[in-house]
Amino acid sequence: MSTITLGGNPVHTSGELPKIGSQLADFKLVKTDLSIATLADYAGKKVVFNIFPSIDTGTCAASVRKFNETAAGLNNTVVICVSRDLPFAQKRFCGAEGIENVENLSDFKDGSFGKANGLEITDSVLAGLHSRVVLVIDEKGTIVHAEQVAEIADEPNYDAALAVL
C-alpha cells in the first residue's frame, strides 16, 4: 500500500506501483468505441500511460491537454489516458477540447488495471478511482518510468516522463 494525499490528507492505494525494469501486466481496457484494448495492441511501440481519477477534474484535464500537446511530436510513441470514467465521457471531453493525439481507455468495468498496478485509491471520497500515475513502457513492455504523484491535485512531472523516451 502506498500513501498519497488529497488536500494534504492521507489517502491509501491498493499496493505499490510496478518497479522500473519489470514488465507491465497485460490488461483489458475499454476504448471509446467500446472495443477492448490489450497490451499486445501496443507491441513494438513506446507507451506513456497517463492515469488519473477523472477526466472531469481540472488537473486530470490539464494532464490530458499537456500530453496531447507533446504527443504529436513523439516518434513511435502512443499516449494512453486511463481512468474509471465511462468511455462516453472520455470521448466527449476529447471531442470538445479538440484532442486527437492521445488515446483514452477506460477501466470502468472492474478496475482491474488499477488493482493490478497498485494504484487504486482504497479510502477517502475517491475510493475506487485511480491515483494520479504516469507509467512509461518501452517497445518490449518494460517499465522505464513510474511516478505516483504525491498530492492528487498536483500535475505529474511531464519532463521526467518524456525524458525516458
Side-chain angles (χ1 to χ4, degrees):
M1 174 185 340
S2 291
T3 301
I4 55 177
T5 59
L6 172 61
N9 298 309
V11 174
H12 301 97
T13 63
S14 58
E16 301 293 326
L17 291 183
K19 301 290 183 211
I20 293 175
S22 66
Q23 293 293 302
L24 183 67
D26 197 10
F27 55 81
K28 290 183 180 177
L29 294 167
V30 182
K31 296 181 181 184
T32 57
D33 66 2
L34 302 181
S35 64
I36 300 297
T38 67
L39 184 59
D41 295 330
Y42 305 97
K45 295 184 180 186
K46 299 172 200 169
V47 182
V48 177
F49 289 89
N50 176 32
I51 306 158
F52 47 82
S54 176
I55 195 82
D56 288 320
T57 66
T59 305
C60 301
S63 70
V64 174
R65 288 184 198 104
K66 179 66 174 180
F67 277 119
N68 178 68
E69 182 182 301
T70 57
L74 300 175
N75 187 32
N76 194 38
T77 303
V78 178
V79 176
I80 298 175
C81 297
V82 180
S83 68
R84 302 265 338 246
D85 292 300
L86 291 175
F88 313 113
Q90 294 172 329
K91 186 174 183 177
R92 172 196 42 78
F93 173 83
C94 288
E97 295 277 331
I99 292 174
E100 299 176 345
N101 297 318
V102 300
E103 185 174 334
N104 284 288
L105 298 178
S106 177
D107 197 14
F108 83 96
K109 288 192 174 192
D110 61 6
S112 59
F113 180 84
K115 291 172 185 155
N117 291 295
L119 54 88
E120 179 181 58
I121 298 170
T122 59
D123 52 18
S124 85
V125 296
L126 298 182
L129 298 179
H130 296 337
S131 59
R132 189 171 318 287
V133 171
V134 176
L135 298 174
V136 180
I137 62 171
D138 66 13
E139 299 89 340
K140 296 178 183 177
T142 303
I143 297 169
V144 295
H145 174 80
E147 176 195 11
Q148 184 167 53
V149 179
E151 166 58 47
I152 293 172
D154 291 344
E155 292 184 55
N157 185 337
Y158 302 108
D159 293 337
L162 298 172
V164 300
L165 298 169

